[in-house]
mmCIF file of all heavy atoms in Angstrom:
data_model
loop_
_atom_site.group_PDB
_atom_site.id
_atom_site.type_symbol
_atom_site.label_atom_id
_atom_site.label_comp_id
_atom_site.label_asym_id
_atom_site.label_seq_id
_atom_site.Cartn_x
_atom_site.Cartn_y
_atom_site.Cartn_z
ATOM 1 N N PRO A 1 0.804 -1.219 -0.063
ATOM 2 C CA PRO A 1 -0.030 -0.003 0.027
ATOM 3 C C PRO A 1 0.874 1.286 0.004
ATOM 4 O O PRO A 1 0.287 2.398 -0.013
ATOM 5 C CB PRO A 1 -0.812 -0.116 1.284
ATOM 6 C CG PRO A 1 0.139 -0.889 2.196
ATOM 7 C CD PRO A 1 0.793 -1.895 1.336
ATOM 8 N N ALA A 2 2.152 1.156 0.004
ATOM 9 C CA ALA A 2 3.022 2.311 0.042
ATOM 10 C C ALA A 2 2.930 3.127 -1.251
ATOM 11 O O ALA A 2 2.550 2.634 -2.273
ATOM 12 C CB ALA A 2 4.456 1.956 0.365
ATOM 13 N N ALA A 3 3.390 4.412 -1.132
ATOM 14 C CA ALA A 3 3.407 5.262 -2.329
ATOM 15 C C ALA A 3 4.699 5.214 -3.055
ATOM 16 O O ALA A 3 4.775 5.565 -4.273
ATOM 17 C CB ALA A 3 3.161 6.705 -1.916
ATOM 18 N N ALA A 4 5.776 4.648 -2.422
ATOM 19 C CA ALA A 4 7.041 4.596 -3.093
ATOM 20 C C ALA A 4 7.915 3.470 -2.491
ATOM 21 O O ALA A 4 7.706 3.113 -1.349
ATOM 22 C CB ALA A 4 7.810 5.955 -3.035
ATOM 23 N N ALA A 5 8.792 2.943 -3.326
ATOM 24 C CA ALA A 5 9.691 1.942 -2.866
ATOM 25 C C ALA A 5 11.081 2.201 -3.334
ATOM 26 O O ALA A 5 11.266 2.544 -4.517
ATOM 27 C CB ALA A 5 9.271 0.548 -3.348
ATOM 28 N N SER A 6 12.069 2.229 -2.446
ATOM 29 C CA SER A 6 13.431 2.556 -2.820
ATOM 30 C C SER A 6 14.284 1.275 -2.946
ATOM 31 O O SER A 6 14.174 0.358 -2.158
ATOM 32 C CB SER A 6 14.074 3.452 -1.786
ATOM 33 O OG SER A 6 15.294 3.954 -2.191
ATOM 34 N N ALA A 7 15.034 1.233 -4.038
ATOM 35 C CA ALA A 7 15.900 0.052 -4.336
ATOM 36 C C ALA A 7 17.285 0.219 -3.628
ATOM 37 O O ALA A 7 17.572 1.194 -2.996
ATOM 38 C CB ALA A 7 16.101 -0.137 -5.837
ATOM 39 N N ARG A 8 18.062 -0.807 -3.759
ATOM 40 C CA ARG A 8 19.419 -0.801 -3.264
ATOM 41 C C ARG A 8 20.399 -0.435 -4.436
ATOM 42 O O ARG A 8 20.402 -1.157 -5.479
ATOM 43 C CB ARG A 8 19.828 -2.069 -2.676
ATOM 44 C CG ARG A 8 21.356 -2.225 -2.377
ATOM 45 C CD ARG A 8 21.772 -3.434 -1.699
ATOM 46 N NE ARG A 8 23.215 -3.584 -1.643
ATOM 47 C CZ ARG A 8 23.917 -4.227 -0.698
ATOM 48 N NH1 ARG A 8 23.236 -4.757 0.328
ATOM 49 N NH2 ARG A 8 25.240 -4.284 -0.704
ATOM 50 N N LEU A 9 21.120 0.631 -4.307
ATOM 51 C CA LEU A 9 22.083 0.988 -5.241
ATOM 52 C C LEU A 9 23.482 0.570 -4.785
ATOM 53 O O LEU A 9 23.917 0.921 -3.671
ATOM 54 C CB LEU A 9 22.097 2.506 -5.505
ATOM 55 C CG LEU A 9 21.018 2.982 -6.540
ATOM 56 C CD1 LEU A 9 19.639 3.011 -5.818
ATOM 57 C CD2 LEU A 9 21.367 4.359 -6.948
ATOM 58 N N ASP A 10 24.226 -0.150 -5.618
ATOM 59 C CA ASP A 10 25.571 -0.604 -5.330
ATOM 60 C C ASP A 10 26.590 0.102 -6.192
ATOM 61 O O ASP A 10 26.283 0.376 -7.348
ATOM 62 C CB ASP A 10 25.735 -2.072 -5.474
ATOM 63 C CG ASP A 10 25.056 -2.904 -4.450
ATOM 64 O OD1 ASP A 10 24.922 -2.411 -3.313
ATOM 65 O OD2 ASP A 10 24.548 -4.032 -4.743
ATOM 66 N N ARG A 11 27.747 0.393 -5.657
ATOM 67 C CA ARG A 11 28.810 0.921 -6.493
ATOM 68 C C ARG A 11 29.352 -0.209 -7.405
ATOM 69 O O ARG A 11 29.095 -1.379 -7.162
ATOM 70 C CB ARG A 11 29.938 1.440 -5.647
ATOM 71 C CG ARG A 11 29.558 2.592 -4.702
ATOM 72 C CD ARG A 11 30.670 3.098 -3.889
ATOM 73 N NE ARG A 11 30.292 4.147 -2.946
ATOM 74 C CZ ARG A 11 29.804 3.963 -1.720
ATOM 75 N NH1 ARG A 11 29.738 2.659 -1.243
ATOM 76 N NH2 ARG A 11 29.474 4.926 -0.921
ATOM 77 N N PRO A 12 30.059 0.203 -8.490
ATOM 78 C CA PRO A 12 30.598 -0.868 -9.405
ATOM 79 C C PRO A 12 31.405 -1.932 -8.705
ATOM 80 O O PRO A 12 31.515 -3.055 -9.182
ATOM 81 C CB PRO A 12 31.419 -0.057 -10.375
ATOM 82 C CG PRO A 12 30.741 1.287 -10.408
ATOM 83 C CD PRO A 12 30.323 1.539 -9.001
ATOM 84 N N ASP A 13 32.020 -1.606 -7.513
ATOM 85 C CA ASP A 13 32.811 -2.552 -6.837
ATOM 86 C C ASP A 13 32.015 -3.479 -5.897
ATOM 87 O O ASP A 13 32.560 -4.358 -5.245
ATOM 88 C CB ASP A 13 33.949 -1.912 -5.999
ATOM 89 C CG ASP A 13 33.403 -1.046 -4.919
ATOM 90 O OD1 ASP A 13 32.148 -0.995 -4.675
ATOM 91 O OD2 ASP A 13 34.239 -0.362 -4.175
ATOM 92 N N GLY A 14 30.649 -3.306 -5.911
ATOM 93 C CA GLY A 14 29.751 -4.143 -5.127
ATOM 94 C C GLY A 14 29.462 -3.571 -3.801
ATOM 95 O O GLY A 14 28.534 -4.150 -3.076
ATOM 96 N N SER A 15 30.075 -2.527 -3.298
ATOM 97 C CA SER A 15 29.742 -1.971 -2.009
ATOM 98 C C SER A 15 28.454 -1.179 -2.093
ATOM 99 O O SER A 15 28.146 -0.617 -3.203
ATOM 100 C CB SER A 15 30.931 -1.066 -1.513
ATOM 101 O OG SER A 15 31.184 -0.033 -2.399
ATOM 102 N N ILE A 16 27.813 -1.071 -1.004
ATOM 103 C CA ILE A 16 26.536 -0.400 -1.009
ATOM 104 C C ILE A 16 26.689 1.104 -1.041
ATOM 105 O O ILE A 16 27.485 1.677 -0.324
ATOM 106 C CB ILE A 16 25.648 -0.783 0.219
ATOM 107 C CG1 ILE A 16 24.280 -0.156 0.124
ATOM 108 C CG2 ILE A 16 26.364 -0.437 1.531
ATOM 109 C CD1 ILE A 16 23.321 -0.718 1.120
ATOM 110 N N GLN A 17 25.955 1.737 -1.953
ATOM 111 C CA GLN A 17 25.941 3.216 -1.964
ATOM 112 C C GLN A 17 24.726 3.730 -1.229
ATOM 113 O O GLN A 17 24.844 4.673 -0.464
ATOM 114 C CB GLN A 17 25.882 3.748 -3.411
ATOM 115 C CG GLN A 17 25.780 5.231 -3.547
ATOM 116 C CD GLN A 17 25.221 5.656 -4.897
ATOM 117 O OE1 GLN A 17 25.469 5.027 -5.911
ATOM 118 N NE2 GLN A 17 24.500 6.746 -4.864
ATOM 119 N N SER A 18 23.551 3.128 -1.498
ATOM 120 C CA SER A 18 22.353 3.753 -0.914
ATOM 121 C C SER A 18 21.192 2.777 -0.937
ATOM 122 O O SER A 18 21.027 1.955 -1.828
ATOM 123 C CB SER A 18 21.922 4.976 -1.770
ATOM 124 O OG SER A 18 20.660 5.462 -1.308
ATOM 125 N N LEU A 19 20.373 2.840 0.127
ATOM 126 C CA LEU A 19 19.105 2.109 0.240
ATOM 127 C C LEU A 19 17.950 3.125 0.141
ATOM 128 O O LEU A 19 16.784 2.785 0.167
ATOM 129 C CB LEU A 19 18.951 1.321 1.536
ATOM 130 C CG LEU A 19 19.822 0.129 1.727
ATOM 131 C CD1 LEU A 19 19.679 -0.442 3.103
ATOM 132 C CD2 LEU A 19 19.508 -0.922 0.671
ATOM 133 N N GLY A 20 18.342 4.397 -0.015
ATOM 134 C CA GLY A 20 17.384 5.472 0.065
ATOM 135 C C GLY A 20 17.943 6.685 0.583
ATOM 136 O O GLY A 20 19.150 6.908 0.695
ATOM 137 N N VAL A 21 17.043 7.614 1.100
ATOM 138 C CA VAL A 21 17.515 8.866 1.656
ATOM 139 C C VAL A 21 17.254 8.912 3.140
ATOM 140 O O VAL A 21 16.115 8.614 3.598
ATOM 141 C CB VAL A 21 16.797 10.036 0.985
ATOM 142 C CG1 VAL A 21 17.127 11.396 1.633
ATOM 143 C CG2 VAL A 21 17.202 10.125 -0.490
ATOM 144 N N ARG A 22 18.250 9.277 3.947
ATOM 145 C CA ARG A 22 18.092 9.519 5.328
ATOM 146 C C ARG A 22 18.006 11.122 5.612
ATOM 147 O O ARG A 22 18.634 11.829 4.794
ATOM 148 C CB ARG A 22 19.110 8.880 6.254
ATOM 149 C CG ARG A 22 20.451 9.334 6.037
ATOM 150 C CD ARG A 22 21.543 8.595 6.817
ATOM 151 N NE ARG A 22 22.865 8.968 6.545
ATOM 152 C CZ ARG A 22 23.498 9.960 7.200
ATOM 153 N NH1 ARG A 22 22.893 10.595 8.183
ATOM 154 N NH2 ARG A 22 24.745 10.249 6.874
ATOM 155 N N LEU A 23 17.380 11.462 6.647
ATOM 156 C CA LEU A 23 17.251 12.912 6.932
ATOM 157 C C LEU A 23 18.170 13.222 8.177
ATOM 158 O O LEU A 23 17.950 12.669 9.245
ATOM 159 C CB LEU A 23 15.831 13.237 7.275
ATOM 160 C CG LEU A 23 15.388 14.734 7.375
ATOM 161 C CD1 LEU A 23 15.697 15.444 6.092
ATOM 162 C CD2 LEU A 23 13.901 14.822 7.728
ATOM 163 N N THR A 24 19.153 14.124 7.962
ATOM 164 C CA THR A 24 20.079 14.397 9.066
ATOM 165 C C THR A 24 19.458 15.464 10.002
ATOM 166 O O THR A 24 18.486 16.175 9.682
ATOM 167 C CB THR A 24 21.385 14.917 8.522
ATOM 168 O OG1 THR A 24 21.169 16.201 7.905
ATOM 169 C CG2 THR A 24 21.949 13.960 7.424
ATOM 170 N N ALA A 25 20.090 15.670 11.137
ATOM 171 C CA ALA A 25 19.642 16.589 12.136
ATOM 172 C C ALA A 25 19.583 18.108 11.636
ATOM 173 O O ALA A 25 18.965 18.895 12.189
ATOM 174 C CB ALA A 25 20.346 16.466 13.443
ATOM 175 N N ASP A 26 20.456 18.340 10.586
ATOM 176 C CA ASP A 26 20.526 19.704 10.067
ATOM 177 C C ASP A 26 19.839 19.770 8.670
ATOM 178 O O ASP A 26 20.069 20.749 7.916
ATOM 179 C CB ASP A 26 21.957 20.236 9.964
ATOM 180 C CG ASP A 26 22.893 19.320 9.131
ATOM 181 O OD1 ASP A 26 22.371 18.247 8.661
ATOM 182 O OD2 ASP A 26 24.051 19.669 9.013
ATOM 183 N N GLY A 27 18.984 18.787 8.394
ATOM 184 C CA GLY A 27 18.147 18.891 7.293
ATOM 185 C C GLY A 27 18.756 18.491 5.930
ATOM 186 O O GLY A 27 18.279 18.835 4.876
ATOM 187 N N HIS A 28 19.874 17.775 5.976
ATOM 188 C CA HIS A 28 20.439 17.247 4.716
ATOM 189 C C HIS A 28 19.743 15.931 4.323
ATOM 190 O O HIS A 28 19.467 15.104 5.236
ATOM 191 C CB HIS A 28 21.994 16.999 4.883
ATOM 192 C CG HIS A 28 22.807 18.208 4.767
ATOM 193 N ND1 HIS A 28 23.044 19.016 5.817
ATOM 194 C CD2 HIS A 28 23.412 18.830 3.710
ATOM 195 C CE1 HIS A 28 23.801 20.033 5.513
ATOM 196 N NE2 HIS A 28 23.999 19.934 4.177
ATOM 197 N N GLY A 29 19.614 15.716 3.103
ATOM 198 C CA GLY A 29 19.208 14.433 2.571
ATOM 199 C C GLY A 29 20.483 13.690 2.222
ATOM 200 O O GLY A 29 21.205 14.061 1.312
ATOM 201 N N ALA A 30 20.686 12.568 2.893
ATOM 202 C CA ALA A 30 22.011 11.817 2.716
ATOM 203 C C ALA A 30 21.675 10.395 2.401
ATOM 204 O O ALA A 30 20.623 9.866 2.649
ATOM 205 C CB ALA A 30 22.859 11.902 4.010
ATOM 206 N N ASP A 31 22.675 9.714 1.789
ATOM 207 C CA ASP A 31 22.460 8.276 1.485
ATOM 208 C C ASP A 31 22.265 7.507 2.741
ATOM 209 O O ASP A 31 23.001 7.604 3.732
ATOM 210 C CB ASP A 31 23.691 7.736 0.753
ATOM 211 C CG ASP A 31 23.717 8.161 -0.706
ATOM 212 O OD1 ASP A 31 22.733 8.363 -1.357
ATOM 213 O OD2 ASP A 31 24.890 8.312 -1.222
ATOM 214 N N ALA A 32 21.171 6.662 2.694
ATOM 215 C CA ALA A 32 20.893 5.735 3.807
ATOM 216 C C ALA A 32 21.456 4.381 3.489
ATOM 217 O O ALA A 32 21.266 3.900 2.355
ATOM 218 C CB ALA A 32 19.422 5.593 4.053
ATOM 219 N N THR A 33 22.161 3.719 4.450
ATOM 220 C CA THR A 33 22.717 2.454 4.190
ATOM 221 C C THR A 33 22.021 1.406 5.169
ATOM 222 O O THR A 33 22.492 0.254 5.160
ATOM 223 C CB THR A 33 24.254 2.386 4.391
ATOM 224 O OG1 THR A 33 24.590 2.945 5.607
ATOM 225 C CG2 THR A 33 24.880 3.235 3.265
ATOM 226 N N GLU A 34 21.027 1.830 5.884
ATOM 227 C CA GLU A 34 20.316 0.960 6.763
ATOM 228 C C GLU A 34 18.832 1.217 6.511
ATOM 229 O O GLU A 34 18.370 2.379 6.259
ATOM 230 C CB GLU A 34 20.608 1.173 8.195
ATOM 231 C CG GLU A 34 22.097 0.841 8.564
ATOM 232 C CD GLU A 34 22.355 1.106 10.117
ATOM 233 O OE1 GLU A 34 21.485 1.574 10.795
ATOM 234 O OE2 GLU A 34 23.459 0.747 10.495
ATOM 235 N N ALA A 35 18.021 0.217 6.628
ATOM 236 C CA ALA A 35 16.594 0.327 6.482
ATOM 237 C C ALA A 35 15.949 0.497 7.899
ATOM 238 O O ALA A 35 16.450 -0.059 8.837
ATOM 239 C CB ALA A 35 16.020 -0.897 5.736
ATOM 240 N N PRO A 36 14.762 1.200 7.990
ATOM 241 C CA PRO A 36 14.047 1.848 6.870
ATOM 242 C C PRO A 36 14.700 3.248 6.568
ATOM 243 O O PRO A 36 15.288 3.801 7.417
ATOM 244 C CB PRO A 36 12.676 1.962 7.409
ATOM 245 C CG PRO A 36 12.856 2.100 8.890
ATOM 246 C CD PRO A 36 14.029 1.211 9.233
ATOM 247 N N ALA A 37 14.501 3.652 5.398
ATOM 248 C CA ALA A 37 14.914 4.991 4.964
ATOM 249 C C ALA A 37 13.791 5.999 4.988
ATOM 250 O O ALA A 37 12.617 5.612 4.807
ATOM 251 C CB ALA A 37 15.572 4.953 3.615
ATOM 252 N N PHE A 38 14.129 7.216 5.213
ATOM 253 C CA PHE A 38 13.153 8.276 5.164
ATOM 254 C C PHE A 38 12.458 8.418 3.811
ATOM 255 O O PHE A 38 11.219 8.512 3.671
ATOM 256 C CB PHE A 38 13.744 9.655 5.636
ATOM 257 C CG PHE A 38 12.957 10.826 5.274
ATOM 258 C CD1 PHE A 38 11.787 11.184 5.989
ATOM 259 C CD2 PHE A 38 13.365 11.704 4.247
ATOM 260 C CE1 PHE A 38 11.031 12.263 5.731
ATOM 261 C CE2 PHE A 38 12.573 12.843 3.906
ATOM 262 C CZ PHE A 38 11.428 13.152 4.716
ATOM 263 N N GLY A 39 13.301 8.412 2.750
ATOM 264 C CA GLY A 39 12.811 8.611 1.428
ATOM 265 C C GLY A 39 13.451 7.651 0.491
ATOM 266 O O GLY A 39 14.336 6.895 0.770
#
């Protein structure tokens, strides 16, 4: 029932880049590497 689903993005070397966007305490949208992600 969700409105959006975020995939896992890996770098070419296989390391994780992002599972989505996390929201920092100063309002930055940063790469999330743990679930659940904000966006």
Side-chain angles (χ1 to χ4, degrees):
S6 190
R8 169 176 170 148
L9 278 75
D10 289 330
R11 299 181 182 90
D13 65 5
S15 62
I16 184 170
Q17 176 200 329
S18 176
L19 290 176
V21 172
R22 62 185 177 89
L23 191 59
T24 70
D26 56 358
H28 282 86
D31 283 328
T33 55
E34 296 181 356
F38 165 71

